[in-house]
Amino acid sequence: MRIDDLLKQARLQLGGKFSAALDARLLLQEATGLTHAEIIAAPELELNAGSLLKFNALLARRLQHEPISRILGHREFYGRRFAITPDVLDPRPDTETLVELALRHFPGPARFVDLGTGSGAIAITLCAENPNLSGLAIDLSAAALAVAEQNAKALGVDVALHFRQGRWFEGLEGQFDLIISNPPYIRQDAELMPDVSAFDPALALFGGEDGLEAYRAIAAGAAAHLAPAGQVMVEIGAGQAEDVTLIFSGQGFHQVEQAADLAGHPRALAFARH
């Protein structure tokens, strides 16, 4: 089958998805090893049986709502490619808001801890964007830490970044200029889209009955591990800004800044001690 005919057929199968054309092309690149430019230059190219079989297998996965990033095994975040596996949250563009907030407040040398690091997207990006930063990345999942360490090495920040398995501040010693986290913040009873519920790990999604358990744990332990003039920064879900601010206020913190995502919704909060 010709490339152009195959792509047209795949777009029709993917239906009304706004990314149907992009998805089809990315799956074709994965199945064939061809570049975007090569696909554009040779639409009449006939696929061999092996490539066609692989493409159809990948397309079948996409039709079952598996995200493209999961199928390809990587996600671009802040201009860098991060490997992802079923053990880690698929990094979202919204989380770049949290990274930008941290970089703005810590342009010079500083030490941070990233709680619940997952793929390492936040911690690795901070070190890559500001070589004066160094950090510790913590996750409860050993499998997630293995992915984060792999990404750190691939992106050249494995010297500046260290890793530790654990739950939040459990057993942690020392103080940090920045405590940062994109914790699980979805309510336990929330109904999620199948491309989220079936493919992102529950450990990284659900924050208890009200979605706020992780914030309570972070706020309760932050003061003991925050250096003078340090800050705590967290990503939040829709409509959680007031509740999260109250949680931190109850632990002796005040809000320093609130940053909105591209849709204009509050997405990242920064706190300092009174």
Side-chain angles (χ1 to χ4, degrees):
M1 180 178 285
R2 288 166 48 118
I3 280 180
D4 53 358
D5 291 333
L6 184 65
L7 289 175
K8 181 179 179 181
Q9 184 182 89
R11 289 195 296 270
L12 289 173
Q13 286 182 266
L14 289 167
K17 299 184 191 307
F18 71 92
S19 59
L22 175 61
D23 289 357
R25 192 254 298 169
L26 290 173
L27 294 178
L28 183 61
Q29 288 180 224
E30 180 71 10
T32 62
L34 295 171
T35 66
H36 187 195
E38 288 170 336
I39 290 172
I40 292 174
E44 75 290 346
L45 183 68
E46 296 274 349
L47 289 192
N48 61 46
S51 293
L52 182 58
L53 187 65
K54 185 175 182 181
F55 176 80
N56 285 332
L58 297 176
L59 179 61
R61 291 170 64 182
R62 184 68 187 110
L63 290 169
Q64 292 299 313
H65 303 287
E66 186 170 356
I68 283 288
S69 54
R70 294 289 182 190
I71 296 172
L72 301 181
H74 58 78
R75 160 77 77 170
E76 183 172 301
F77 181 86
Y78 221 89
R80 297 177 180 84
R81 176 177 288 191
F82 287 81
I84 60 171
T85 72
D87 300 300
V88 301
L89 187 74
D90 186 352
R92 269 59 166 191
D94 285 340
T95 302
E96 294 185 0
T97 304
L98 178 63
V99 171
E100 289 167 356
L101 180 65
L103 290 171
R104 188 162 64 249
H105 281 259
F106 293 91
R111 184 167 178 254
F112 68 86
V113 59
D114 176 23
L115 301 174
T117 195
S119 67
I122 293 172
I124 290 168
T125 302
L126 290 176
C127 291
E129 289 292 316
N130 180 358
N132 292 312
L133 293 178
S134 62
L136 174 64
I138 297 176
D139 204 285
L140 185 60
S141 166
L145 282 177
V147 176
E149 290 189 64
Q150 173 191 337
N151 283 326
K153 186 173 183 179
L155 292 168
V157 300
D158 48 315
V159 173
L161 192 57
H162 296 88
F163 300 87
R164 180 179 183 275
Q165 186 179 3
R167 180 186 293 276
W168 308 126
F169 299 104
E170 191 175 73
L172 184 63
E173 297 180 356
Q175 293 187 320
F176 301 85
D177 302 295
L178 170 64
I179 296 170
I180 193 166
S181 182
N182 174 22
Y185 52 68
I186 298 173
R187 295 173 61 100
Q188 199 68 45
D189 61 356
E191 293 187 11
L192 303 176
M193 297 292 288
D195 58 345
V196 175
S197 61
F199 299 101
D200 278 311
L203 183 66
L205 291 175
F206 298 107
E209 187 175 341
D210 62 358
L212 301 172
E213 282 187 2
Y215 300 108
R216 295 188 184 97
I218 294 170
H225 297 283
L226 197 62
Q231 292 186 30
V232 183
M233 297 186 183
V234 292
E235 180 173 328
I236 60 170
Q240 291 181 325
E242 184 176 349
D243 288 336
V244 173
T245 298
L246 284 173
I247 288 170
F248 276 88
S249 177
Q251 295 291 341
F253 290 86
H254 67 276
Q255 189 184 121
V256 174
E257 187 175 347
Q258 182 177 118
D261 57 25
L262 292 176
H265 304 301
R267 181 61 60 180
L269 305 179
F271 297 98
R273 283 182 290 185
H274 288 301

